Structure formats: C-alpha cells, structure tokens
Amino acid sequence: MKIAVAYKWAPNPQDAAVGADGTVDWGRAKASVSEYDPVAAELGRRLADATGAELVGISVGGPDVASPMARKSALSRGFDRAVVVADPALEGAGPTLTATVLAEVVKHIGDVDLVLTGDSSQDVGAQLVPAILAGALGWPALANVTAVSGGAGDLVVERLQDSGSQVLHATGPVVLAAATDAVVPRVPGMKDILAAGKRPVEVLSLADVTPAAPVAATAVVATARPALAARKQHVIDGSDPVAAAAELVAALRADNVL
C-alpha cells in the first residue's frame, strides 16, 4: 500500500502586506509548508504506521519547491520519501493546473491507494485541488475528513457534516481532504529535521509529467476590498433604560436580526 500526501510550499500570509486598494504584496512573505497540510501528513503517518504502508509526500510548484529548505521542511513531517515537480512554468499555478499535475505525479509513483490533502492552501484557499485531483484520477473525493482507518482499497472514513458526523466505507482508491482540526500534527524536532535530509526526493520537471490534455490557464486580473455596508447611525438614548431596550429591540426586528 502506498499513501500519497499532497502539500504546498507557499508564502505565509502572516508575512504579506495588504494595500489600501486590496492588493496583496507577497514580496516579504517567507515560504513554508501550507499550514493545513501537516494535518493531512499526520493522518497519513498514523495510517501508514498501522498498515505498514509507504508514505510519499508529493508537491508541484516553482523551482523553490525543490530547495533544500523545502525538502527538509516537508520530509520532517514524517514522509518516507517525496516526489516533487519543480518547474518555472508552475510558479503561481492555479488550482486546476496544480491538481492536474499532481494527478500525473500519483500515476508516476504507481500503486497509490490513497491521496490525502489539507483542507486548503494558505495562500489561495480555493479548496478546489482535492476535487479536481480526484476528477483527474477518476477517483471519488471526500472532504472534511477527521479519521481514516483500514487497509488498501478497504477504508473506513469519518467526516464532518453540518448535522454531525458521517462514517463511510470506501473501497478502491480515494482522495481525502482532511478537516483542519482532524488531528494535532507533530512538531518536527531536531532529530526529525536531520533525518529528513537523508530521505530520498525525486525531482521532476513539467515535461516529465505532462498531462494528456492541455490545461486552460487562468490569471487574476484585478482584486478589490469587499464593499463596506453603509451604517444607519441609529443612536439610542440610554437615559431611560426601559425605553432604550424597547427601541433597540424594535430596531433589530426592523433589520430582521430578531
């Protein structure tokens, strides 16, 4: 059994600056493993330990995804090895291209029974990659996963729903997107970081895993701040508490808040 965990090496939004016009400046943002991906890696590591499976980290992006820092940061999360596609053409790739290339990486590895992903990426947050990846592979996809157990092609998956939780029996390969709080990921220690430097990483170019069909490209042409709601500036006189309370209730009802 092979388990693949997709992760993204992306700029940290805490380091980004937002301009008055809503544009985001990523110039000073340092890259890191996307904050939701360690949850998927921890789920994968626990299942791999329970089943004896190999845990493979997979990622696509610009050349920096194959940098020594990116490799160690990812492999210290518990992967046995990693396969990354590092290519200038993938710098800033959108969800469709990212997911399509990830699907080709899964095929390249071969015999993968399960792909785990984070809930979303820390830079884009579109939450589209798991579904597009599953579609490209022809596999089912499940989101908000909190637990997974079982073996190859025979998994028991628990996921969150608005009304509670749901337990499913998944047969065959599947793509699972982990809920943000599914598990508490381990914090890599010095031993993990040193060991990560000795684990194998296969670096591919886009030409090595070119999708069978061309992928349409999209680009952001403009950004803007959300429109601010106009305030009614309804001032309530509090000199008479009873009257003020009645006026407040009436105002809230008028706005359909109550």
Side-chain angles (χ1 to χ4, degrees), residues 3-107:
I3 303 171
V5 177
Y7 68 90
K8 188 174 187 181
W9 185 248
N12 193 324
Q14 295 181 2
D15 300 327
V18 181
D21 60 351
T23 58
V24 180
D25 180 9
W26 296 95
R28 297 184 179 181
K30 296 180 180 179
S32 62
V33 174
S34 186
E35 63 179 324
Y36 303 117
D37 295 338
V39 177
E42 183 66 24
L43 274 177
R45 184 69 268 167
R46 294 183 185 185
L47 183 61
D49 289 342
T51 60
E54 181 184 28
L55 187 66
V56 186
I58 60 174
S59 187
V60 305
D64 62 339
V65 75
S67 67
M69 182 178 294
R71 294 186 190 194
K72 286 187 177 181
S73 182
L75 287 166
S76 65
R77 296 291 177 177
F79 301 137
D80 297 312
R81 63 185 175 102
V83 180
V84 301
V85 181
D87 197 292
L90 293 172
E91 192 78 56
T96 302
L97 180 56
T98 297
T100 305
V101 176
L102 281 172
E104 294 302 314
V105 175
V106 172
K107 296 174 185 177

Side-chain angles (χ1 to χ4, degrees), residues 3 5 20 22 27 43 49 59 62 100 103 116 124-125 132 160 164 168 170 199-200 212 231 233 236-237 244 250 258:
I3 303 171
V5 177
L43 274 177
D49 289 342
S59 187
T100 305
L116 287 162
V124 179
I132 299 173
L160 293 175
L168 302 100
R199 292 176 183 149
R231 296 187 178 184
Q233 298 183 347
I236 297 175
D237 183 3
L258 295 178

Side-chain angles (χ1 to χ4, degrees), residues 125-143:
Q127 297 182 309
L128 294 173
V129 168
I132 299 173
L133 169 58
L137 291 170
W139 299 0
L142 297 171

